[in-house]
């Protein structure tokens, strides 16, 4: 049967690749990457570098799957995402069927860790549920952008016995949640940090693990403007941005 590996490749530094991931990549001959257009060609360079290193220069086939356009104007957000996911599933299914022989092993290279804000696992399940094509798959974890952020700022995400919320910039538009003091923010398309007020500390990182990495930390009142400016400049320079932050409400306890 066809075997598909879903391999977390880390969040930007080729050294993030684990031994387990490197060993898994050795089993595969076809590598699927999602093509997000020219602006993100740096991301593909990283994937190629990882493959060169993990495979020791042996030949391999790289299959680019073009990311279908998502209707970002749609007011019915959930519907737009479901539609986009369906179209992605069609493309993934086609790639698996056409590029992997009956007993071949192929790998999806997934940014960071496949369990975090990534649709690959959901899409593979959707394809299997359609019943048109058979394969089995396994998942190899990777270093997520959150792990990279915490390591670079030398912080623990949680405080003793306390929960941490991982959410998106979009969800933070309504303000800092009442009942949680530590919030990780990802996928912030709209400068949501602008709206963080009160006694909150921000640990921010952009392009973590990459040569352009930027780190800023401090009280929101002191650093939010600097972060937003840095974000805007970086986006202007490179054409895209990936940033993650931990927002930590000051509860008066040093833990
Ligand atoms: C679609 S999610 C993928 C997350 C990924 N699976 C992970 O484990 O980190 C993309 C978001 O992850 C965060 N991200 C990924 N790589 C990053 C990096 N190198 N530096 C900062 N943030 C990153 C950003 O918030 C970005 O908007």
């Amino acid at each position: 049967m066809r075997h598909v590996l879903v391999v977390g490749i880390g969040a930007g530094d080729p050294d993030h690749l684990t031994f387990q991931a490197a060993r898994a990549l050795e089993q595969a001959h076809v590598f699927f990457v999602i093509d997000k257009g020219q602006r993100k060609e740096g991301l593909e360079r990283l994937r190629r570098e990882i493959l060169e290193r993990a495979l020791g220069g042996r030949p391999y086939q790289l299959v680019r799957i073009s990311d279908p356009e998502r209707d970002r104007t749609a007011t019915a957000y959930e519907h737009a995402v479901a539609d986009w996911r369906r179209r992605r599933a069609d493309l993934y299914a086609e790639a698996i069927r056409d590029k992997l022989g009956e007993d071949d092993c192929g790998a999806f290279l997934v940014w960071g860790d496949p369990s975090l804000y990534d649709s690959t696992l959901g899409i593979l399940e959707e394809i299997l549920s359609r019943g048109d094509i058979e394969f089995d798959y396994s998942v190899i974890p990777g270093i997520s952008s959150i792990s990279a952020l915490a390591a670079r700022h030398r912080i623990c995400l949680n405080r003793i016995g306390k929960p941490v919320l991982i959410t998106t910039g979009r969800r933070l538009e309504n303000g800092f949640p009442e009942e949680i003091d530590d919030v990780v923010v990802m996928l912030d398309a709209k400068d949501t940090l602008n709206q963080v007020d009160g006694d909150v500390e921000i640990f921010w990182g952009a392009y973590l693990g990459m040569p352009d990495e930027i780190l800023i930390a401090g009280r929101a009142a002191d650093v939010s403007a600097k972060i937003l400016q840095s974000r805007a400049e970086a986006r202007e320079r490179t054409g895209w941005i990936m940033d993650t932050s931990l927002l930590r409400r000051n509860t008066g306890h040093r833990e």
Side-chain angles (χ1 to χ4, degrees):
M1 193 187 302
R2 293 178 176 95
H3 190 75
V4 173
L5 297 162
V6 181
V7 182
I9 59 168
D13 182 341
D15 283 352
H16 284 173
L17 197 80
T18 66
F19 280 115
Q20 187 187 21
R23 272 202 298 272
L25 294 178
E26 280 173 16
Q27 308 307 310
H29 289 270
V30 180
F31 298 91
F32 301 103
V33 297
I34 310 307
D35 186 355
K36 293 183 189 258
Q38 274 194 333
R39 289 191 334 178
K40 297 203 176 168
E41 69 190 12
L43 305 188
E44 182 167 325
R45 240 193 332 270
L46 174 81
R47 291 184 168 109
R48 283 187 177 281
E49 184 180 339
I50 283 174
L51 287 175
E52 289 301 322
R53 277 210 211 169
L55 307 182
R58 75 141 154 97
Y60 62 88
Q61 187 183 4
L62 195 69
V63 176
R64 278 189 204 81
I65 303 175
S66 292
D67 207 16
E69 280 295 313
R70 201 172 97 195
D71 182 1
R72 290 181 192 274
T73 59
T75 34
Y77 176 78
E78 312 246 312
H79 180 265
V81 171
D83 174 61
W84 175 68
R85 209 170 156 119
R86 214 167 11 253
R87 284 184 290 134
R88 261 192 163 184
D90 294 343
L91 295 171
Y92 284 28
E94 192 181 303
I96 293 170
R97 192 187 51 235
D98 296 351
K99 303 293 180 185
L100 273 191
E102 283 300 327
D103 293 312
D104 282 352
C105 176
F108 280 87
L109 304 184
V110 173
W111 196 261
D113 182 75
S115 71
L116 191 65
Y117 288 113
D118 185 86
S119 51
T120 312
L121 299 177
I123 289 172
L124 293 181
E125 280 299 325
E126 176 163 339
I127 298 171
L128 286 172
S129 73
R130 292 175 180 177
D132 303 334
I133 169 170
E134 269 191 35
F135 60 88
D136 65 2
Y137 72 96
S138 34
V139 182
I140 315 294
I143 292 183
S144 71
S145 49
I146 300 182
S147 308
L149 176 82
R152 294 295 287 130
H153 283 290
R154 303 187 302 180
I155 49 169
C156 198
L157 290 177
N158 66 291
R159 282 178 279 180
I160 300 171
K162 296 285 173 57
V164 178
L165 175 71
I166 300 173
T167 190
T168 62
R170 193 168 210 281
R171 295 255 170 208
L172 214 71
E173 278 171 20
N174 301 328
F176 205 102
E178 286 288 309
E179 65 290 2
I180 307 263
D181 295 322
D182 296 272
V183 179
V184 174
V185 185
M186 304 177 71
L187 291 158
D188 186 3
K190 288 196 188 162
D191 288 345
T192 317
L193 293 184
N194 209 4
Q195 291 163 33
V196 177
D197 47 19
D199 198 359
V200 172
E201 203 172 356
I202 303 182
F203 298 90
W204 179 76
Y207 314 108
L208 291 157
M210 299 182 223
D212 288 335
E213 182 180 86
I214 316 169
L215 300 171
I216 297 178
R219 290 184 58 241
D222 301 329
V223 299
S224 352
K226 190 171 161 199
I227 292 173
L228 293 181
Q229 187 187 348
S230 191
R231 212 168 180 258
E233 284 169 5
R235 191 187 254 147
E236 178 71 28
R237 197 173 55 247
T238 60
W240 57 279
I241 183 130
M242 277 204 298
D243 61 342
T244 302
S245 36
L246 171 70
L247 309 181
R248 170 155 287 168
R249 186 185 271 132
N250 183 3
T251 54
H253 301 289
R254 185 138 189 94
E255 294 164 288

